[in-house]
Amino acid sequence: MSHEVGVVGGSAAGLFAAHLLARAGARVCVLEAAEDFDPSPRTLIVTGWMNETLGRLGKGALVNEIRQFELFTDGRAARISLRQPDLVIERSKLIRELARAAEASGAELLLGRRFVSMEPRGQALALHVERSQDAGAEEVRVRTVVGADGALSRVARLAGWPTQTTVPLVQAIVSLPHGMPSDTTRVWFIPEETPYFYWLIPDSPQRGVVGLIGEQGPATRQALERFLERQRLDPLEYQAARIPVYAKWIPVCRQFGSGQVYLVGDAAGHVKATTVGGIVTGFRGAMGVAENILNGRPGRRLRDLRRELDLHLLIRRVIHNFTQAQYSHLVDLLNAHARKDLEAHTRDEPGRVLWRLCLHQPRLLLFGLRALFHW
Ligand SMILES: Cc1cc2nc3c(=O)[nH]c(=O)nc-3n(C[C@H](O)[C@H](O)[C@H](O)COP(=O)(O)OP(=O)(O)OC[C@H]3O[C@@H](n4cnc5c(N)ncnc54)[C@H](O)[C@@H]3O)c2cc1C
């Protein structure tokens, strides 16, 4: 057996899992289809929980901090000042930093290696890999496979997990509107165009990204183009991909022959259903899976992650079919106490936020229940 663990996919979740496993002494290799760790630039916003999850890692990827959110719906606006700033990060920098950390911990990073298939071979699993440089074939033997190959995971499909539903996310880089503070993110709720929302996130005093999550690729791009026109913003460049929709928790481990297969990140659907953010939840899933592999049993981390992803799903079910009037009513219900709760807690603590919101504004609970059960 050449390695104990083979991680398929060298992006955020896979590299972090490889780093944790190698640091604990496991012999790990990462198989990444791309020829170098230079993923296309992508502006991401995460909560301060990224620092709590990654520790000292990821600091070099920080490009801006967000201290305020402005929410818009049908002429109304609400402002939320964050006690702990959100972090705007550049994905390509984050990936390169994680790759260096994984390598320094002892993981072997194999670039230009596309995972094609796997089969049980004695006590091990044989991974069949295609080299991009010369189209040659390789075989890597491992006892455990970690599928970190994204929303359309081949590892998941071959190991028998059901196919995930995905939604398109499209965003455009723009020059910031005149006078817009670079520490403020704007969010627009326009339910006749998207059941999610539009955002404008500054990544510097001059630039930002405007985007939305839609339900259908071409229509999502057209909706963004119309929105940019209405806001008088010129797109400098577009970024897009499909994101998995978390519909229910799926067990992250399966037996395959006498080996084990795990999933992390987008491959596992560890994406918040409210915002479709998957970076921090992907890292938390990677920690849970590493803990499971090292200790031979599931730990608390995966249980906590499951509870939180389920809470995000519940919130999404409540708001997914909101009308414009319901969004406006929601903003009206945000009294001073409720705003303070949103200011004090992040999106990565949905349980705490929901509990405090209901305590301080019980009408929100009633409003949510009505929307959920269509009363
Ligand atoms: C435009 C955009 C903006 C986003 N904004 C945010 C945001 O603001 N906040 C947030 O939290 N999330 C955001 N997301 C979501 C976030 O980027 C993803 O949840 C996260 O990147 C998933 O990481 P991952 O490591 O699981 O998978 P991925 O980043 O998809 O990586 C999968 C890796 O596997 C490799 N691979 C695939 N198949 C194979 C194979 N057969 N063999 C070998 N390697 C393979 C790929 O090359 C890739 O490197 C955004 C996504 C997009 C597209």
Side-chain angles (χ1 to χ4, degrees), residues 13 149-153 164 242-244 264-271 278-279 282:
D149 47 344
L152 307 172
S153 170
Q164 306 191 73
R242 295 197 74 89
I243 312 280
V264 295
D266 277 15
H270 292 165
V271 171
I279 288 286

Side-chain angles (χ1 to χ4, degrees), residues 270-281:
H270 292 165
V271 171
K272 289 174 279 201
T274 46
T275 59
V276 199
I279 288 286
V280 174
T281 40

Side-chain angles (χ1 to χ4, degrees), residues 54 58 61 89-98 283:
L54 291 188
I89 54 168
E90 176 41 58
R91 181 177 82 130
S92 51
K93 291 185 182 167
L94 179 69
I95 303 296
R96 274 182 245 130
E97 204 173 320
L98 289 170
F283 289 145

Side-chain angles (χ1 to χ4, degrees), residues 60-360:
L62 182 71
V63 292
N64 193 19
E65 289 190 352
I66 298 298
R67 295 178 185 277
Q68 284 202 97
F69 268 74
E70 287 175 352
L71 312 178
F72 298 96
T73 165
D74 201 19
R76 287 173 173 78
R79 181 169 297 166
I80 315 279
S81 302
L82 305 180
R83 202 174 289 170
Q84 186 191 22
D86 266 11
L87 313 173
V88 182
I89 54 168
E90 176 41 58
R91 181 177 82 130
S92 51
K93 291 185 182 167
L94 179 69
I95 303 296
R96 274 182 245 130
E97 204 173 320
L98 289 170
R100 280 195 297 274
E103 200 161 39
S105 301
E108 191 181 355
L109 308 183
L110 300 168
L111 292 164
R113 306 300 208 287
R114 177 172 296 282
F115 162 81
V116 179
S117 63
M118 59 185 173
E119 59 177 316
R121 186 77 59 79
Q123 291 299 301
L125 293 174
L127 308 185
H128 303 294
V129 176
E130 198 178 272
R131 268 193 316 265
S132 59
Q133 223 173 24
D134 55 3
E138 274 177 24
E139 188 179 288
V140 178
R141 289 198 193 183
V142 299
R143 191 179 296 281
T144 303
V145 178
V146 176
D149 47 344
L152 307 172
S153 170
R154 191 175 182 88
V155 172
R157 185 157 50 80
L158 294 177
W161 270 281
T163 312
Q164 306 191 73
T165 308
T166 59
V167 285
L169 187 158
V170 187
Q171 61 182 19
I173 298 178
V174 296
S175 298
L176 280 193
H178 185 68
M180 176 168 171
S182 63
D183 67 349
T184 301
T185 285
R186 290 184 177 159
V187 174
W188 291 263
F189 297 104
I190 310 178
E192 58 277 22
E193 293 174 26
T194 168
Y196 295 86
F197 48 85
Y198 288 93
W199 60 82
L200 169 51
I201 306 166
D203 62 9
S204 72
Q206 296 80 33
R207 266 183 21 157
V209 286
V210 179
L212 84 154
I213 302 144
E215 291 184 300
Q216 228 210 5
T220 305
R221 168 78 181 241
Q222 284 158 14
L224 180 59
E225 285 168 356
R226 284 196 302 271
F227 182 76
L228 291 170
E229 236 175 85
R230 290 202 302 271
Q231 298 290 327
R232 297 199 170 80
L233 294 167
D234 288 326
L236 305 172
E237 185 192 312
Y238 283 96
Q239 307 170 346
R242 295 197 74 89
I243 312 280
V245 183
Y246 178 86
K248 68 170 188 199
W249 179 264
I250 49 162
V252 293
C253 179
R254 269 176 183 246
Q255 194 74 26
F256 194 82
S258 51
Q260 252 130 23
V261 182
Y262 290 83
L263 297 180
V264 295
D266 277 15
H270 292 165
V271 171
K272 289 174 279 201
T274 46
T275 59
V276 199
I279 288 286
V280 174
T281 40
F283 289 145
R284 292 176 62 197
M287 285 173 105
V289 162
E291 187 179 69
N292 199 333
I293 293 172
L294 295 167
N295 301 336
R297 60 191 148 75
R300 205 200 60 223
R301 284 181 204 285
L302 285 173
R303 275 199 306 277
D304 290 350
L305 179 61
R306 175 183 185 167
R307 201 183 49 235
E308 285 171 28
L309 289 172
D310 284 344
L311 271 173
H312 281 284
L313 181 61
L314 178 69
I315 301 171
R316 166 66 32 215
R317 286 199 175 129
V318 169
I319 61 176
H320 201 71
N321 294 313
F322 261 19
T323 59
Q324 193 77 69
Q326 283 172 305
Y327 272 117
S328 302
H329 189 49
L330 182 68
V331 166
D332 291 343
L333 284 176
L334 292 179
N335 61 15
H337 282 302
R339 263 170 224 236
K340 280 217 169 72
D341 294 331
L342 291 173
E343 288 170 5
H345 302 288
T346 74
R347 305 181 288 292
D348 284 307
E349 309 163 275
R352 216 172 286 179
V353 178
L354 274 184
W355 162 244
R356 298 192 72 84
L357 277 176
C358 293
L359 195 72
H360 289 134

